[in-house]
Amino acid sequence: MTREELIKERRAQPWRAELRKASPNKERITAPRTPMPTLGLEERLSSFHHEVALGYTAELAMEEARRCLDCPSPGCVSGCPVGIHIPSFIKLIERGEFVDALGIIRETSSLPAVCGRVCPQEKQCESQCIYTLSLKKPAVSIGNLERFVADYERLHPEEAKPLAPPMPPNGLRVAVIGSGPAGISFATDMAKWGYEVTVYEGAEELGGVLRYGIPEFVLPNSIIEHELAKLRQLGVHLVTSTYVGQDVTVQQLQEEGFAGIFVATGAGVPNFMHVPGEDLKGIHSASDYLARLNMMSPEEIDEEKLRYAGKRVAIIGAGNTAIDAVRSALRLGAAEVMIVYRRSREEMPARAEELHHAEEEGTRFLTLHNPIAYLADASGHVRSMRLQQMQLGEPDASGRRSPQPIEGAIVELEVDEVIVSIGYSASPLVPQSLPELSVSRSGTIVVDEEQRSSIPTIYAGGDIVRGPATVILAMGDGRRAATAMHRSLTGRTELGALV
């Protein structure tokens, strides 16, 4: 059965038809989008561990679910990189069957609580909602509803249903290099289909960018642990503190009998602008800055707050990582925190919710400015930055208007700390250890439409293929690679596979 056939079959269920009749569309479309409750400003800025978005209550979730029109050809499903049957889970929420709603999501997504928090739904599933495309109204809050049902199961373990048992073991072993979203997604599908799966992670803790790159006030570690527990329940072997390409080679994995390998090592090498003074003390990459804060104890955070008191901090860039960095600096008590971005506010790639929270919390947005030099004090620490004022010209290759310098328009601002967040390059360890592996000029692994590399038994996905992208796109790569590898090794395609 195809995905479209399954969507049609589920929509035709008698209870779904009755639900549609109970509230005509004319009534549903008049309801406003249900806002997400958030923590008060003073309390959120006092701690790194208080999640800002509080989540829907059951009443709020059911209220928002009633807005869904249960479209016969739901564009939202097409807009989801992992193919969640979105109206099917939302209609179960409207009916009050929250655990069953989560079951629909888990058919195709291994990280619902994570995706509900960090995915840019406004650019993906919600951008294809009929409210957005035809009614010109705010889309159904798909991400908030996904988060709600995932949190509901975690908070009500007595109602949780056991995971569907995996297929009988098929005698095949596969290895996953990297435990971020792409690796987790791939490992989940392969374990369900009867493979013996081993995940290798170079860091001490599992989760990749989820663990080390996103602050707890956005994505608590407890949420990551809850999702990783599902992997353990499926029997996946998890090996940490082991870098493939350094501590163990790919050739050794192959010699140990792994029939297939999925590379999901991410884009962990920060980019810099290579402007004068960028090597001064007090200038860091956002990835190092966030990873260090995420690993700090409460006592170490308190010491860091003493160091940051009264400081002026600039973050260069306006993606999600930059916004995470700026909001972290605010929680450390910096006197002034600013985003420096060479385009306008409209071109900022960060999630709309994150930009809104950053502004609420006191971020200054210095748009149409670009650093051209950093100046030092007598001790070699950054004291100021020179900024070139910019104007927007014609769209570049990405479709965004290209920033152009305004001749002679240069300003200087005093700063005490600079965090550079202008993108990342592919982690080179695995590609460098495999000379026969085809890589792009930027170091990413070249794959075909099934995520297969130039070495037939090696697949890859996520940022090591795409460059820096989103959690949900990485998960889609993982599911696509699992489907293709499973088909290659067994000739089978399972129901629910990403095809």
Side-chain angles (χ1 to χ4, degrees):
M1 183 182 295
T2 68
R3 181 175 70 180
E4 289 73 21
E5 288 170 340
L6 185 56
I7 290 170
K8 184 177 180 180
E9 179 184 278
R10 285 175 167 170
R11 188 177 183 273
Q13 291 171 312
W15 70 265
R16 288 270 288 269
E18 287 300 317
L19 208 59
R20 289 193 293 273
K21 291 178 184 176
S23 297
N25 286 351
K26 285 184 179 180
E27 293 180 12
R28 294 179 187 272
I29 64 175
T30 60
R33 178 168 162 135
T34 309
M36 168 67 81
T38 57
L39 198 64
L41 191 58
E42 184 175 346
E43 190 174 2
R44 70 169 84 162
L45 288 174
S46 69
S47 172
F48 275 82
H49 305 292
H50 291 163
E51 196 171 2
V52 172
L54 298 177
Y56 282 158
T57 62
E59 293 75 19
L60 291 175
M62 293 174 74
E63 178 182 315
E64 181 63 17
R66 277 190 286 272
R67 295 183 66 229
C68 174
L69 303 183
D70 202 6
C71 303
S73 298
C76 55
V77 179
S78 306
C80 175
V82 297
I84 294 171
H85 289 204
I86 292 169
S88 294
F89 94 77
I90 291 179
K91 292 297 103 179
L92 284 165
I93 294 175
E94 183 177 347
R95 211 178 183 204
E97 298 178 11
F98 307 139
V99 174
D100 288 340
L102 180 62
I104 296 288
I105 297 172
R106 285 206 183 278
E107 290 174 350
T108 54
S109 173
S110 52
L111 296 169
V114 171
C115 290
R117 286 168 165 82
V118 303
C119 285
Q121 289 92 5
E122 71 272 14
K123 297 176 184 176
Q124 294 174 334
C125 54
E126 293 180 14
S127 74
Q128 302 304 306
C129 177
I130 191 171
Y131 279 91
T132 303
L133 296 177
S134 300
L135 301 176
K136 308 306 177 188
K137 292 173 177 268
V140 174
S141 190
I142 298 167
N144 290 342
L145 291 172
E146 180 180 16
R147 169 186 166 159
F148 166 74
V149 292
D151 286 355
Y152 184 88
E153 180 208 48
R154 179 174 52 86
L155 297 172
H156 298 83
E158 72 283 356
E159 296 184 38
K161 295 183 178 179
L163 291 177
M167 294 179 180
N170 60 20
L172 294 170
R173 302 173 66 207
V174 295
V176 185
I177 307 173
S179 68
I184 291 172
S185 185
F186 174 89
T188 299
D189 277 359
M190 296 301 270
K192 286 179 180 177
W193 297 336
Y195 290 82
E196 182 183 334
V197 183
T198 302
V199 176
Y200 292 90
E201 170 57 55
E204 293 181 8
E205 301 284 346
L206 296 162
V209 68
L210 305 177
R211 173 85 63 180
Y212 291 99
I214 303 176
E216 283 211 71
F217 55 80
V218 176
L219 178 61
N221 284 335
S222 59
I223 300 299
I224 301 170
E225 286 300 328
H226 184 76
E227 301 289 36
L228 287 171
K230 306 296 182 186
L231 269 187
R232 295 185 175 95
Q233 290 174 34
L234 288 168
V236 174
H237 307 295
L238 302 169
V239 181
T240 58
S241 302
T242 302
Y243 284 98
V244 176
Q246 176 179 297
D247 302 313
V248 62
T249 67
V250 173
Q251 290 85 349
Q252 284 174 313
L253 296 182
Q254 292 169 326
E255 290 167 4
E256 288 177 18
F258 288 104
I261 295 171
F262 180 63
V263 183
T265 48
V269 181
N271 295 335
F272 286 91
M273 298 178 67
H274 305 294
V275 299
E278 203 170 31
D279 57 348
L280 293 174
K281 298 173 187 175
I283 299 179
H284 325 279
S285 73
S287 56
D288 289 344
Y289 177 78
L290 290 170
R292 188 169 63 88
L293 288 175
N294 283 353
M295 293 298 104
M296 281 185 177
S297 67
E299 293 76 20
E300 290 170 326
I301 289 288
D302 288 341
E303 290 180 13
E304 198 74 356
K305 286 181 177 180
L306 291 174
R307 193 175 74 81
Y308 265 76
K311 288 202 171 181
R312 296 156 297 191
V313 181
I315 287 78
I316 314 302
N320 291 319
T321 302
I323 301 304
D324 287 341
V326 82
R327 297 178 68 199
S328 295
L330 287 163
R331 282 156 176 76
L332 289 173
E336 183 181 6
V337 182
M338 72 182 83
I339 284 284
V340 178
Y341 185 54
R342 61 182 185 154
R343 290 183 169 91
S344 72
R345 176 69 177 264
E346 289 68 33
E347 280 79 28
M348 289 184 176
R351 294 176 63 222
E353 181 185 55
E354 295 296 300
L355 288 168
H356 173 66
H357 287 159
E359 190 166 43
E360 280 186 326
E361 292 165 10
T363 300
R364 175 187 174 193
F365 289 92
L366 189 59
T367 58
L368 293 171
H369 284 76
N370 200 39
I372 56 173
Y374 299 101
L375 306 178
D377 62 16
S379 67
H381 196 282
V382 65
R383 66 168 175 81
S384 66
M385 59 182 177
R386 287 200 179 122
L387 302 173
Q388 169 70 61
Q389 293 185 35
M390 313 294 285
Q391 60 187 351
L392 293 180
E394 296 301 314
D396 63 12
S398 70
R400 292 184 294 171
R401 293 174 64 192
S402 181
Q404 306 292 333
I406 300 173
E407 188 175 352
I410 295 172
V411 297
E412 185 173 325
L413 289 180
E414 293 184 354
V415 289
D416 303 297
E417 204 94 3
V418 176
I419 301 161
V420 181
S421 182
I422 58 167
Y424 299 86
S425 298
S427 298
L429 205 54
V430 171
Q432 286 180 355
S433 71
L434 293 170
E436 66 273 34
L437 188 67
S438 179
V439 297
S440 69
R441 286 171 52 184
S442 60
T444 57
I445 297 175
V446 176
V447 299
D448 63 17
E449 66 278 0
E450 293 188 327
Q451 308 298 136
R452 191 196 307 260
S453 77
S454 57
I455 301 174
T457 58
I458 297 178
Y459 294 67
D463 292 357
I464 190 64
V465 168
R466 294 176 175 272
T470 64
V471 168
I472 193 68
L473 287 173
M475 290 175 62
D477 289 350
R479 296 205 66 231
R480 195 174 300 105
T483 298
M485 186 184 292
H486 179 51
R487 186 189 303 119
S488 175
L489 292 173
T490 68
R492 292 173 56 91
T493 300
E494 308 301 336
L495 180 65
L498 190 61
V499 294

